[in-house]
Amino acid sequence: MLLGRQRELAHIEDLLTAAQDGTSAALLLRGEPGIGKSALLRATLDQATALGYGVLRTRGFESESDIPFAGLLELLTPLLPLRDRIPEVQARALGSALALEPPTPFDRFAVPAGMLSLLAAAAEDKPYVVLADDVHWLDDASREALIFVGRRLGAEGVVLLCASREVREVVDAFAGVDQLAAAPLDDGDAAELLRRESKHRVSDAVAADLVATAHGNPLALTEIPRALSAEQLAGREPLAGPVAAGDRIEEAFARQLADLPPETREALLVAAAMQTGRHDLFVAALEARGLAAAALDPAISAELIAIDGRVDFFHPLLRSAVYHAADPVQRRSVHATLADVATAPARRAWHLAAAADAPDEEVAAALELAASEARARGGVAAGARAYERAANLSTDDEARARRLLEAASDFAQVGQADHALALVDLAQDLIPGSALVTEIVRVRGRVEMRRGAPVTAHDLLVAEAERIQDEDPGAAASLLVEAAVAHMMTGDMEALIAAGDRARALLAGRDDISDPVVEVLSGVLVGEAHAALGHEDEADALLDPAMPFLTSEYVLTMPSELVGMAGQCAIWYERWDRATGVLDHLVGLAREASAINHIIYPLAAHAILDFRRGYWAASLADASEAARLARETNLQPLLTFSLAVLAHVEAAMGRRDDARAHGRESVQIAELLNGPAIAVYGLNAMALDALGAGEVEAATELYDRVHRFTQKLHTQRGVVQYGADRVEALARLGRTDDAFQALEEFADRLGGGRWALGALARCRGILADKTAEHHFQTALSHHEHDGQPFEKARTQLAYGERLRRDRRRADAREQLSAALDAFERLGAAPWADRARVEMRATGGAAAGGDAAEKEAVAAAGLEELTAHELQIARLVAYGMTNREVAAKLFLSPKTIEYHLSQIYRKLDLRSRTQLASLMAQELPEPSKAA
């Protein structure tokens, strides 16, 4: 029985018990080395086995952390026969990542999604416990999969239990997964453990000293006495003085190793240097070194190591002590032996690298091949380290520089931009003026963009494009397109057009160098910039011809933000067919491919589309899913945009706490990323929240901030719909002169289709004296064609308010009733409340007819659902099975079944048909985006 672990064991027992009822959970146990994390995992293993649960295990090894998906392969091997029960694209991704079949392109998160599906399939028969020890040493790809699954477990009956040292970046990466710190033992339990584990009697005085030294660390309490004599333990000889527990543990291990025969220490070194615990490879390595298998017997007898299908050390600290205590020459010799017996090319390459004591081009080439394969299988971080090590072993400066650039590209992709930049500097120092200069600049530009320095990236890329445009116009054009992308981050649309047009000019009429992808990208970029500036004709001229490409099967090979922006900018000036076509197609393909990277931005853009067109339930569902996926995948730029869109929908619906929290978080992240073009979305959401709540002073301050940002960005008013709201806020605050000034500024760069004309007329009606009715009627005529019911209802509300003040109560009730009906159908609670107040002031009933009442009841019912439940209800209403919905939302069928039962309960429904009927009026027509 584990001493002093009642709290931790009780927590884990609760998770296991809940799994019997189908409830899943994930927990990260964290703590210092030796604190007892592995012991807790072993206790969990015993309990799960006794309960008849399925058990899956993996463990991270420091020497194996550069082999992509090594930990996942060990974990999932027992479940691989179930691959035919999960979505095909996920099964292919798993097969590729785990080297079960040749590499095929797949999204970075298709493998974690496949792991979740595989666990869910296994748990259909019985609960499962997944144990992952030393996750701080797991390869990055396997750890990322565990984190993803831990965040998305629901109702499968799976318990995921991970253990890690207090490594900050690892603990931070597990954000969103419950964590439990393994506490030190109290003095009483520590003393009991000390006496129980010691082979000699321990005096009370010595026990007190050792307990104080160990600070409640069980491993220290077990191993420190082994470094002491029986006389010292009995108190008849003095201790050496106060020594830190960590040093004492190392000292104890060193003493035990020193007592072993030389051949046993050599066999232990072989085990410590292995990148896998496979017993067959271990035996082969011993034979190659002339050692008998029995050489390890003394270590087994001393309980330093165990063999049970694989070779496992008693504790990772012991493995480290064995490895680092050995002579460097002997370590290299052992790695050379392991390279000879290795069956996997990547493992052989890493052993050869560890055996090398000088640059070696053959070894460098082997590592480069391993890096390329790791990248192809989705192990980008492992590939980066392999490329860097290959560069260090290169004998030729140009080869070294080329490999450094490959490493830099991969390091930037996994978020280590500073290290990537240092590698680019090394490459440039190696070969200044060589043929690689353009590639050096290109990689440096990409790294600078990821570091949040888009202007620096732009200037570098443009300068290099100008240098090579005569000798290599194709390469120059591609550099200019990359430079133009930088302006999407800064929001400088005019500069983007200039860069894109230069790229198009370089490619024009040059069939010998024309790259169709670069041509399309440059045209799309320039078209999107024209749309942002309100140049609708110029935008259509470039984007319409690109539609076949933007709705082709190849869009997943392009940046999703670039493709999705073609859909989003169509929203700005009400090209609904183009917006729907691009976004539905991109979301649909991304779902089918489990391409989570590609789904987040278009989902958020689709939420804007549905919001403007009046499908707020769908909008809330899409925005919430986009934000959740962005958070779970740690894609910060996408998170800030998704949160802003979500906050805007929540603000309009009166979900104030959520709206303000998400809006503030969006703005904070945007400021950290130096992204003013994104910050305006979050600020606008916070302003709408304040305006809807009647806090017009706060709304005015926020709208003024939005206005200052957009003035710098030179975008037209339909990109962020704030201009009319700013005028209204100032007018309601009584700042009439400022409201007129804001009206002129709104009209100055109008754009934005018929909505903008209607909103402008509404503002003129709000501020007008005798001509107010004319302006409101003009606004309503525009709203008949803009397809945006919320904006029409806003005009009807303002019109009704004006008619009531003019004592035309009957006319006011007509407008207010229409506005109230629309607000209730949309779920715009604060605006509906405002309309009701006005209706009562006219002496009329604050409700519409029977049809309006039914719609209001439906909207009120849906308000009981969370955004996540809305998304599930939406897909079920489209006729999908639970398994189909699970595949599209990267969840398990059991989780969908659980949420669906909650939806039925909240809405008092009993069938999918009833759900579909209720949702019909709240959702757009079904499409691939579903």
Side-chain angles (χ1 to χ4, degrees), residues 28-29 58-60 131-139 143 146 161-165 170 174:
L28 175 68
L29 282 170
T58 192
R59 185 171 198 163
L131 304 175
D133 204 357
D134 293 323
V135 296
H136 53 280
W137 278 337
L138 273 180
D139 62 276
R143 185 167 59 242
L146 286 171
L161 190 57
C162 300
S164 172
R165 292 184 185 176
V170 173
F174 272 85

Side-chain angles (χ1 to χ4, degrees), residues 193-495:
L193 178 63
L194 178 65
R195 291 188 172 89
R196 193 172 75 179
E197 296 296 323
S198 178
K199 295 180 180 179
H200 303 285
R201 189 185 72 82
V202 183
S203 73
D204 291 344
V206 172
D209 285 345
L210 294 179
V211 166
T213 298
H215 298 295
N217 185 295
L219 182 64
L221 291 162
T222 301
E223 296 302 321
I224 287 175
R226 298 191 185 191
L228 302 176
S229 67
E231 295 297 307
Q232 287 175 313
L233 289 171
R236 291 188 289 269
E237 289 184 6
L239 301 179
V243 182
D247 294 337
R248 288 284 191 155
I249 294 173
E250 295 292 337
E251 179 185 331
F253 284 151
R255 178 170 176 173
Q256 293 175 75
L257 295 173
D259 292 339
L260 296 172
E263 61 271 18
T264 301
R265 292 200 298 273
E266 184 176 352
L268 283 172
L269 177 59
V270 173
M274 289 178 66
Q275 289 180 330
T276 175
R278 281 177 51 183
H279 186 241
D280 58 333
L281 295 181
F282 174 68
V283 172
L286 291 184
E287 290 177 354
R289 297 188 66 80
L291 295 171
L296 207 58
D297 287 350
I300 296 174
S301 299
E303 298 182 349
L304 299 176
I305 200 165
I307 297 178
D308 181 17
R310 58 177 293 135
V311 184
D312 283 322
F313 280 86
F314 162 70
H315 194 275
L317 286 178
L318 179 58
R319 175 189 289 269
S320 178
V322 169
Y323 187 80
H324 294 291
D327 179 77
V329 174
Q330 188 181 28
R331 281 203 303 266
R332 289 195 293 270
S333 173
V334 166
H335 279 294
T337 300
L338 290 170
D340 289 338
V341 302
T343 57
R347 298 183 192 277
R348 177 179 179 275
W350 278 107
H351 281 306
L352 287 173
D357 59 357
D360 186 317
E361 186 57 33
E362 182 179 347
V363 177
L367 263 181
E368 182 176 11
L369 186 62
S372 177
E373 182 176 354
R375 180 191 283 173
R377 295 192 185 279
V380 180
R385 289 190 288 271
Y387 275 123
E388 184 177 11
R389 182 67 174 129
N392 293 337
L393 290 170
S394 301
T395 56
D396 173 76
D397 281 351
E398 186 166 340
R400 180 178 286 113
R402 178 176 53 79
R403 289 161 178 157
L404 284 170
L405 291 177
E406 295 286 358
S409 294
D410 285 354
F411 275 122
Q413 188 174 335
V414 297
Q416 298 184 41
D418 290 340
H419 184 57
L421 194 60
L423 297 184
V424 175
D425 289 339
L426 288 175
Q428 185 165 3
D429 291 342
L430 283 170
I431 47 171
S434 79
L436 281 177
V437 165
T438 296
E439 189 60 22
I440 289 173
V441 173
R442 187 189 302 275
V443 175
R444 186 185 294 279
R446 291 173 179 172
V447 174
E448 290 288 3
M449 280 198 220
R450 289 185 176 271
R451 290 179 72 236
V455 175
T456 300
H458 169 269
D459 293 346
L460 286 168
L461 294 168
V462 169
E464 182 64 13
E466 291 173 344
R467 186 184 73 83
I468 66 170
Q469 62 184 7
D470 293 332
E471 60 186 79
D472 193 347
S478 68
L479 289 172
L480 287 170
V481 169
E482 292 202 42
V485 172
H487 292 306
M488 293 187 73
M489 298 174 66
T490 64
D492 191 342
M493 297 295 105
E494 291 169 342

